[in-house]
Amino acid sequence: MAPRSRIIGCGSYLPERVLTNDELARKLDTSDEWITARTGIRQRHIAAAGELTSDLAYQAARQALESAAIGAEELDLIVLATTTPDNTFPATATKVQALLEVNRGAAFDVQAVCTGFLFALSTADSFIRTGQARTALVLGAETFSRIVDWRDRSTCVIFGDGAGAVVVRAGEEGEGGGQERGILSFHLHSDGRLGDLLFVDGGPSSTQTVGTVKMSGREVFRHAVVNLADVALEALEANGLTIGDVDWLVPHQANKRILESTARKLGLPAERVVVTVDRHANTSAASIPLALEEAVGDGRIRPGHLVLMEAMGAGMTWGAGLVRW
Ligand code: UT7
């Protein structure tokens, strides 16, 4: 069997500007109490005028490369998950490639909204396992603040901007002293019949405008809790593992109540869930790599730990991935 892909570095970037719930409450009919009670969100970061998704991604990429102790010239694949690309084309991944001043291999975007990072990481893992790439940069980056309707209190309060990155490399034969370290598996799903629950009402082919987010919040919430628990169990079962084996759950950060309900449904203690939604809000494709970088950076996630990642987003799309760190 081909050696597993290993995550050898993490990086993240959050724009400087922090927007608090109280600030939002001065412009909208909402309150810090409502937002905190319903979502667990206290603040979000907002990109500066002129600061693009590729700029956020580039900062996260530099940190990830530094933590992996490799140069950008070693990359032979860049996969970037975003639903807020700089432009309709070219892919934002190619803009990051240019900012990194490299040109080896392939760079492209994937689009699975909040599940995007898992789709991107799974793609890179497949490239590595089949020998098409050896060292990949995988990014989740969003400027979601550009596609929310700032007059719609039911959506604009829950999103934020940010970027996260990981460097993934083909593992060496015999590495890890017999323990199977690296990416174990991914389990990805989509159901396009549920597209109307969460979408943007614009696009190059439909309206020739960018559009803004439309969401049936309660329905999305309901699907999230069911699908996230199911796909987490699917990932564990496929590897002969149980929830008791999981050291850390690193979920997409949509809503604290979704995180808590999923953990409860799985029987996972709250202390083993990495939570950033209070400070970052929902950064869509960026939320998992942002949370990973935080938990690896502060020493919670350590070598040998079993890390379960999971996400749910528009499409609908959902998925889970297991990594032996
Ligand atoms: O990555 C996937 C992305 N999306 C999600 O994860 C969204 C999942 N859904 C949710 O997180 C929740 O459904 C929301 C946080 C969006 C909404 O919470 P909820 O408990 O489902 O509230 P609701 O939509 O049922 O609305 C309850 C009330 C309504 O008022 P009435 O009709 O009962 O008078 C809303 O108009 O809360 C009102 N409301 C607000 N009030 C104050 C909605 N947004 C706000 C707000 N501030 N920001």
Side-chain angles (χ1 to χ4, degrees):
M1 201 174 84
R4 297 188 187 286
S5 323
R6 298 270 309 273
I7 296 176
I8 60 165
C10 295
S12 70
Y13 177 78
L14 290 159
E16 209 175 304
R17 163 94 167 103
V18 170
L19 178 62
T20 64
N21 291 348
D22 283 333
E23 278 180 82
L24 278 171
R26 288 199 281 276
K27 295 182 209 145
L28 280 168
D29 181 15
T30 188
S31 64
D32 178 43
E33 293 72 32
W34 192 96
I35 301 170
T36 306
R38 299 286 178 128
T39 70
I41 297 165
R42 295 182 183 279
Q43 61 173 50
R44 68 286 294 141
H45 290 252
I46 304 292
E51 194 177 29
L52 306 184
T53 295
S54 60
D55 298 319
L56 273 51
Y58 170 63
Q59 296 298 340
R62 279 182 37 165
Q63 194 189 343
L65 290 165
E66 199 174 305
S67 89
I70 67 160
E73 67 286 351
E74 294 183 52
L75 297 173
D76 45 24
L77 177 67
I78 300 175
V79 189
L80 184 146
T82 190
T83 197
T84 46
D86 290 6
N87 299 95
T88 303
F89 75 76
T92 302
T94 60
K95 308 243 331 234
V96 175
Q97 188 191 31
L99 288 167
L100 289 170
E101 298 178 332
V102 291
N103 61 2
R104 273 183 64 211
F108 58 89
D109 291 356
V110 302
Q111 154 65 298
V113 201
C114 298
T115 321
F117 180 74
L118 296 185
F119 277 65
L121 189 52
S122 174
T123 304
D125 179 43
S126 301
F127 269 62
I128 288 172
R129 282 185 192 233
T130 55
Q132 282 193 84
R134 182 171 128 74
T135 309
L137 174 67
V138 181
L139 301 137
E142 303 279 14
T143 46
F144 231 83
S145 62
R146 308 258 157 82
I147 57 162
V148 292
D149 176 352
W150 285 100
R151 294 159 309 175
D152 176 6
R153 66 178 185 172
S154 68
T155 52
C156 75
V157 303
I158 69 176
F159 294 102
D161 300 338
V166 295
V167 176
V168 192
R169 178 166 267 183
E172 306 292 339
E173 209 79 61
E175 202 176 43
Q179 196 184 27
E180 291 269 36
R181 283 179 63 193
I183 294 174
L184 304 188
S185 64
F186 279 100
H187 305 268
L188 306 177
H189 297 273
S190 309
D191 185 349
R193 295 170 305 178
L194 302 172
D196 287 349
L197 299 184
L198 178 54
F199 64 99
V200 164
D201 64 352
S205 180
S206 56
T207 59
Q208 298 81 57
T209 62
V210 173
T212 55
V213 176
K214 308 290 166 213
M215 180 173 74
S216 307
R218 277 196 185 183
E219 280 296 290
V220 173
F221 195 107
R222 200 172 59 77
H223 281 282
V225 176
V226 175
N227 290 333
L228 288 173
D230 284 353
V231 79
L233 294 175
E234 180 188 332
L236 290 167
E237 244 171 63
N239 290 280
L241 296 163
T242 69
I243 199 70
D245 296 313
V246 174
D247 293 292
W248 293 105
L249 174 64
V250 183
H252 165 54
Q253 310 282 321
N255 178 320
K256 189 131 192 287
R257 284 158 55 219
I258 296 179
L259 305 190
E260 287 168 353
S261 308
T262 310
R264 228 182 356 257
K265 222 163 173 256
L266 290 169
L268 189 75
E271 312 82 73
R272 285 200 260 149
V273 184
V274 177
V275 179
T276 58
V277 68
D278 51 332
R279 289 155 292 130
H280 302 171
N282 180 346
T283 56
S284 187
S287 87
I288 290 181
L290 274 164
L292 265 184
E293 195 280 326
E294 185 171 294
V296 171
D298 66 20
R300 273 178 288 173
I301 296 177
R302 292 194 304 274
H305 277 175
L306 184 68
V307 177
L308 172 62
M309 299 176 279
E310 55 162 34
M312 163 96 191
M316 305 297 293
T317 54
W318 64 101
L322 270 173
V323 181
R324 176 70 66 188
W325 210 261

